[in-house]
Amino acid sequence: MTRLILFNKPFGVLSQFTDRGTADSARATLSDFIDIPRVYPAGRLDRDSEGLLLLTDSGKLQARIANPRFKTEKTYLVQVEGLPDDAALAALRQGVPLKDGLTRPAKVARIEVPDIWARTPPVRYRKSVPDCWLSITVSEGRNRQVRRMTAAVGHPTLRLIRAQIGDWRLDGLETGTWRDA
């Protein structure tokens, strides 16, 4: 029977079970939170991003979730610097030119501040620069894509939380905890 685990990855945790960095780096990994043999991440989530990470013992399911050709939608809650105007949001919806090519169109909406956990360490705030939250859904998985997209329209990402992958959602899963799907 295939096992699928939903994990709410905290900020600063690598999306792998071992740290191949320097011997003195001692960065947190999945093994600090999940002690289940033979499950592997289906895709990645950057060390400085938080939220939903799926792990499975099925290579076939792992490929279906992570491979860009299947266009699995991923939804992110994104805190950005500044207040994006309609033109910036339209650019994200149409596709943004990045160094590795034009992104697919994204679903984008301004949202209220989400009811989420506090981040450790907290996001750096600047009194002179406002910020806001967006919901951004993409169907491709380029490296640091959402961060690069928001920066390309003039609104750098301050905090990025993946809330949904396909039909799987965080739905109350506390940071640093996991559950079977």
Side-chain angles (χ1 to χ4, degrees):
M1 184 167 151
T2 297
R3 186 152 195 196
L4 180 65
I5 293 169
L6 284 68
F7 174 56
N8 187 346
K9 187 188 90 59
F11 178 86
V13 175
L14 296 174
S15 293
Q16 57 199 40
F17 282 95
T18 58
D19 182 4
R20 294 185 182 89
T22 61
D24 60 329
S25 67
R27 298 179 294 185
T29 66
L30 297 178
S31 61
D32 294 313
F33 299 89
I34 301 169
D35 185 20
I36 300 171
R38 295 179 296 282
V39 294
Y40 303 95
R44 300 186 63 76
L45 193 56
D46 296 327
R47 183 173 175 225
D48 55 356
S49 298
E50 309 163 71
L52 185 59
L53 184 66
L54 300 177
L55 297 96
T56 182
D57 58 1
S58 166
K60 191 178 215 179
L61 180 57
Q62 186 180 27
R64 186 174 68 79
I65 293 167
N67 192 314
R69 78 171 189 209
F70 293 107
K71 299 181 176 123
T72 302
E73 287 191 341
K74 296 167 184 76
T75 300
Y76 298 86
L77 305 177
V78 187
Q79 184 181 20
V80 296
E81 190 172 273
L83 304 173
D85 60 16
D86 290 340
L89 298 178
L92 293 168
R93 290 181 186 119
Q94 293 165 3
V96 178
L98 302 175
K99 288 182 181 176
D100 55 350
L102 186 67
T103 65
R104 290 184 189 139
K107 297 175 186 171
V108 181
R110 283 187 200 98
I111 60 172
E112 294 296 318
V113 176
D115 182 19
I116 52 172
W117 58 91
R119 192 184 90 176
T120 304
V123 171
R124 173 186 54 88
Y125 289 102
R126 298 189 325 186
K127 291 180 183 177
S128 62
V129 180
D131 62 77
C132 78
W133 285 86
L134 304 173
S135 171
I136 300 179
T137 301
V138 296
S139 61
E140 56 188 339
R142 297 185 200 183
N143 186 42
R144 300 181 70 80
Q145 178 179 346
V146 172
R147 290 178 185 280
R148 293 188 297 138
M149 289 172 68
T150 63
V153 298
H155 298 280
T157 294
L158 300 172
R159 188 172 182 191
L160 186 103
I161 301 168
R162 185 160 56 201
Q164 185 170 347
I165 301 171
D167 293 331
W168 299 287
R169 304 174 56 91
L170 275 178
D171 285 343
L173 187 62
E174 295 293 322
T175 185
T177 65
W178 61 270
R179 70 173 175 255
D180 284 293

